[in-house]
Amino acid sequence: MHLKCLCCFASEEEQTKTGNVNNDNNSSRDYPWEIYTLKELLRATNSFHQDNKIGEGGFGSVYWGRTSKGIEIAVKRLKAMSAKAEMEFAVEVEVLGRVRHNNLLGLRGFYAGGEERLIVYDYMPNHSLLTHLHGHLASHYLLDWPTRIRIAIGSAEGLAYLHHEANPHIIHRDIKASNVLLDNEFEAKVADFGFAKLIPEGVTHVTTRVKGTLGYLAPEYAMWGKVSESCDVYSFGILLIEIISAKKPIEKLPGGVKRDIVQWVTPYVQKGVFNHIADAKLKGNFDIEQLKSVITIAMRCTDISPDNRPNMEQVVKWLKGGNLVNRIKQIPNNDEEIETKQSNLKVLSENDRHVIR
């Protein structure tokens, strides 16, 4: 990881005390980003004013801004400087500097100096998928059926690029609704690469400390830290069901019992009553055959066994209508898998190794 290089860039920038590095300077270097000055980003965000805040998470806050050139930007400001924060900053800049795809959030540049670590992105005016499914936009703007399908396909294509075209291949490790951003046309942009893993050619998996979000984690990753591209596929399957149903990945039931979204959807699939899965706010305005297809794909992606899951190239092909499987494999016909999932949830909630955000 190029953490040392990033610090060198920051030192040079602090010494020059100029505005944005100009395009001529950028083009003569071996990195594709701009290095912003703190002064420029303070001016753009009104000194990180509360009114400019558009998001917040375990990492820190995101602010809307406008540069002196009139360009709208989003600036992620890490909450506190630590070795962990430094590494997430370095990983995200490293990964986003490597990739270029229409369905991945674009990196504009960064600032690294003193106690500040700031990452600058393209601004996404329609915010995150989470805000439309569960947040403040859920009651103001209805994502219609074609838009949901387009978001699903775009997200899948972004992931397929990371897994199959990026060199080295990249595992995201935190696919979820809040990390799918939407542009002016509601095109999906996969975002937040702070947990990403770069996988060398020929390596199928690595074992690592578990990070991610409860409800989206593949069982083998949650339990043993075994991470592979298949873990992202599982998370994407959860996201697919969430897009279609507007249900949260984990739901609290009376008595404190938790039920995950796969447990919720499985009985409907087994009984063939797919129409009960669709978001009630759609009021029946969806293609039932397309609904069946998408849920079929989601169930394949969330198979308990990683070997039975498709890869993201197959998922993209299926979502676009090519050679969709005609039956659903590995849907539990008894309580064994559900009991396993409940056990996994208990371990996850009690195990403080996990970074749940």
Side-chain angles (χ1 to χ4, degrees), residues 253-274:
L253 302 178
V257 177
K258 293 180 180 178
R259 177 177 64 186
D260 71 40
I261 201 168
V262 176
Q263 290 173 289
W264 169 78
V265 79
T266 296
Y268 292 122
V269 176
Q270 289 175 330
K271 295 172 185 176
V273 286
F274 289 86

Side-chain angles (χ1 to χ4, degrees), residues 7-44:
C7 294
C8 291
F9 294 158
S11 298
E12 178 181 295
E13 182 231 350
E14 288 185 309
Q15 290 169 7
T16 60
K17 298 297 181 182
T18 62
N20 290 353
V21 175
N22 63 42
N23 290 336
D24 291 339
N25 287 341
N26 276 341
S27 61
S28 69
R29 299 175 184 272
D30 60 354
Y31 55 90
W33 338 281
E34 290 187 56
I35 304 176
Y36 289 83
T37 63
L38 182 58
K39 181 180 179 181
E40 169 74 4
L41 296 179
L42 286 170
R43 186 190 306 120

Side-chain angles (χ1 to χ4, degrees), residues 28-232:
S28 69
R29 299 175 184 272
D30 60 354
Y31 55 90
W33 338 281
E34 290 187 56
I35 304 176
Y36 289 83
T37 63
L38 182 58
K39 181 180 179 181
E40 169 74 4
L41 296 179
L42 286 170
R43 186 190 306 120
T45 60
N46 194 18
S47 297
F48 300 109
H49 195 280
Q50 183 69 22
D51 291 345
N52 288 56
K53 185 183 287 189
I54 55 176
E56 188 166 9
F59 56 83
S61 301
V62 179
Y63 297 84
W64 172 87
R66 189 186 298 275
T67 70
S68 57
K69 298 177 183 178
I71 298 170
E72 289 188 290
I73 57 174
V75 183
K76 180 193 286 188
R77 187 187 196 190
L78 271 65
K79 185 174 292 184
M81 216 44 251
S82 64
K84 176 176 172 291
E86 188 85 69
M87 181 54 67
E88 286 188 26
F89 171 84
V91 168
E92 183 146 19
V93 173
E94 168 81 2
V95 171
L96 285 176
R98 288 174 176 270
V99 299
R100 289 291 183 274
H101 189 274
N102 188 51
N103 296 112
L104 300 177
L105 182 63
L107 174 72
R108 299 195 70 89
F110 66 90
Y111 170 82
E115 292 297 304
E116 290 283 5
R117 295 295 180 271
L118 308 171
I119 305 178
V120 184
Y121 311 92
D122 295 324
Y123 174 65
M124 294 292 109
N126 283 311
H127 307 287
S128 73
L129 179 59
L130 180 74
T131 62
H132 288 272
L133 294 177
H134 313 299
H136 68 278
L137 294 178
S139 59
H140 293 88
Y141 188 93
L142 175 66
L143 291 178
D144 61 21
W145 183 256
T147 301
R148 294 183 196 223
I149 296 301
R150 190 166 72 250
I151 291 169
I153 292 173
S155 304
E157 289 188 316
L159 265 180
Y161 171 87
L162 294 176
H163 289 182
H164 302 284
E165 296 183 47
N167 185 24
H169 297 170
I170 298 167
I171 302 173
H172 188 283
R173 288 209 298 168
D174 201 18
I175 295 299
K176 58 182 178 180
S178 62
N179 285 341
V180 176
L181 304 185
L182 305 171
D183 70 7
N184 272 317
E185 304 299 322
F186 284 88
E187 289 293 336
K189 308 283 184 178
V190 176
D192 199 341
F193 291 82
F195 290 165
K197 279 284 183 185
L198 278 62
I199 305 297
E201 189 69 35
V203 175
T204 59
H205 70 276
V206 296
T207 302
T208 184
R209 184 173 182 267
V210 178
K211 296 181 179 181
T213 302
L214 188 60
Y216 294 92
L217 301 178
E220 72 279 6
Y221 178 45
M223 298 297 291
W224 301 294
K226 183 178 178 181
V227 62
S228 66
E229 292 163 357
S230 185
C231 296
D232 279 352

